[in-house]
Amino acid sequence: MEGIYLVHLMVMVLSLGLLAGALCQVDDGSDNETTAVYIVTLKQAPASHYYGKLRKNTNVFKHGVPRNPNQFHNRRDNSRSNWSSSSYVARVHDSLLRRVLRGEKYLKLYSYHYLINGFAVLVTPEQASKLSRRREVANVALDFSVRTATTHTPQFLGLPQGAWVKAGGYETAGEGIVIGFVDTGIDPTHPSFADDISLNSYPVPSHFSGICEVTRDFPSGSCNRKLIGARHFAASAITRGIFNSSQDYASPFDGDGHGTHTASVAAGNHGIPVIVAGHCFGNASGMAPRAHVSVYKALYKSFGGFAADVVAAIDQAAQDGVDVLSLSITPNRRPPGIATFFNPIDMALLSAVKAGIFTVQAAGNTGPSPKSMSSFSPWIFTVGAASHDRVYSNSIILGNNVTIHGVGLAPGTDEDTMLTLVSALHAVNNETTVTTDMYVGECQDSSSFNQDFIEGNLLICSYSIRFVLGLSTIKQAVETAKNLSAAGVVFYMDPFVIGFQLNPIPMSVPGIIIPSPDDSKVLLQYYNSSLERNETTKQITKFGAVASILGGLKANYSNSAPKVMYYSARGPDPEDSFLDDADILKPNLVAPGNSIWAAWSSLGTDSVEFQGENFAMMSGTSMAAPHIAGLAALIKQKFPSFSPSAIASALSSTASLYDNNGGPIMAQRAYANPDLNQSPATPFDMGSGFVNATAALDPGLIFDSCYDDYMSFLCGINGSSPVVLNYTGQNCLSYNSTINSTDLNLPSITIAKLYQSRTVQRSVTNIAGNETYKVGWSAPYGVTVKVVPARFSIASGERQILSVFFDAIMNSSTASHGRIGLFGDQGHVLNIPLSVIVKVTYNTTTNG
């Protein structure tokens, strides 16, 4: 029956229009176990390269100055779909496969036609080799796997008094902008995506042409004027036989929770009550609460995802007409080849940028080691994760007046009452022993205990590695405590769980988790020393330890923040699989990513502790990226014709360098005890800094780049010409000159190897009124820097070239950092981070 369902599913998916393919009926006896999914690109340019001239963002920095500085570029054409082109391209792909693989068995999964001209196909390596030898074929790449990488953050980012005011208030913030999400889907029933909570009309933007799939899990009516598009892509996973239809849902519905969470961070409705475990934690809002949401599900709970499905999702999102594209996903491995930039996902996103779509990607959760970055290309805006100032403090006061701090979104006990502490190990019934149940201390089964010992007391449970692995849960331990009528529950950390970082976890009864093994020892020593035993039998006669729990439902907003989280991936940006450094700053900046409240799928299983809840608190760069996607929507709303690089410039150049106490932003340097292992963040930790939402809406000056600049950069990589031709269908010979990555007009300067001296130029354009700027700088250690001019006046719409001269004054292979500051007399302040890694003061080559 399951096989029949999968075949039916494939037919359903193929009928959507993007996918078209046929399984040949001839069986040549080939071994199915050797087949794999390959992404094949053709030399002929995709549809967006032809139709894009009508709707791509024209770079007016090179073609004249606009009369209105808010109107940089022409808006895209209202209609982004061309179904006749789609059908024609699919037929071309089918014809090629029939000719090359005549009489052989294969399965075409996707036809890509908008951003790249190609297809995904399940074939043997020999068949892939046949395809690669055809003159029409540019590139054949093996598919690879990918993985997934709020109530208060709008206030912490100053939106209610700043950016939302500039957008006309939260009722209009993001209006008319469509944010696309490539993630695990969405729960359409969540109030964060309802379209009837406002009295104002909510029209679907005319430039959007996407659709909503209708399935048993995603019935008709799931979409509305807020959630305006929803599709799913799983063909590559299905061919591998790993798609679990009951768990992963063959529809846009989110069976994981991750996609619902990220979508609501960026564009969830304003003022939605956050109620978890029966407790209210305030009201939630996305960064752009009036923006529209379109979902492209390509990741799944049980296996993650695959590049072929992700590329199909990106291609469809661009064709549908999204304005911003958010990807909280990263590859499972560094792309092979001459440069990390040359992989199917990044190259599809390059075409998306050409079509005027601002693309945001999570940096990855592989920090804090250097070169752990999982987002590589300069046309992608890469976001790292930082903390914000809200923390939920919980603590337990012992009978010996010792206070131990912990975590737990739980109520406290009566402040005036000290309750008896009873260890689960000392409360088992006659049928249970530690010998017969070695995990009884984790409190997972109430039938193992004697209720007479526990009723009205605080039950002590062990938090072991099994909780980390999901084999035991806080929720089940709380159920045990409730079933035994315990007054509350206290978890101590097993000493074998070293350095594990706990998010606050909701509990419906008074409770606390002590995350420190050392503090856990203090608790256990007090408890054991307070036991009274029969001298002869050694049986416990009295539980003498007492305590009270203060509770962790009330938020504290005095935390020093932001700080770069230990898990946030770090630069420098690896240029290739040999870990050579690229002259590109990654991440671009950091945003709130730790302990983020946001919507949760009603059937989400990604976090056991939040199963069945409407909201969840999650941490990761996955949560940071949609913050930027939402803020980019606000910028796009104010400056409708901004190019993707103009939006990136506005966000980066205005980022903050300081925390809420006026000190430098710190970066955690270790997984274990991260707050005890931190130092001032460098650009390789935080990029340009921490996002400043209000300043980004009034940057003053813009650093702009266009598609041709990125192509000139790619063509400048040694040996890249055939690869560029393979991916883009464009010949590097058509570009009169090439540039290296240092010369891309980015709002940062990174030099991987400085041999003696170098001059770098940057171009800024004034989108504000006439203004005079002073230029200041601090040089990276071991380098002298000079910027010319040191002062300039610039009229609205005019452009200014800045020349930056670097000279190495010492030999060093240790990265050092500095900054250039542009200080306008009308209040605009921009910062340009400088990073130099290898510094050489003389020519080290010698003549033989």
Side-chain angles (χ1 to χ4, degrees), residues 135-170:
R135 67 178 184 275
E136 306 100 313
V137 172
N139 190 53
V140 177
L142 185 65
D143 193 14
F144 58 89
S145 60
V146 296
R147 60 190 172 195
T148 55
T150 83
T151 54
H152 176 61
T153 48
Q155 284 74 23
F156 186 63
L157 294 172
L159 298 185
Q161 296 79 34
W164 283 350
V165 173
K166 292 177 181 289
Y170 70 82

Side-chain angles (χ1 to χ4, degrees), residues 720-756:
S720 67
S721 292
V723 186
V724 172
L725 180 64
N726 289 348
Y727 272 114
T728 68
Q730 294 178 260
N731 196 319
C732 283
L733 295 176
S734 64
Y735 290 88
N736 295 328
S737 62
T738 61
I739 60 175
N740 60 46
S741 48
T742 301
D743 295 320
L744 282 169
N745 196 41
L746 304 174
S748 60
I749 299 175
T750 302
I751 302 176
K753 296 177 182 177
L754 175 61
Y755 292 105
Q756 296 182 297

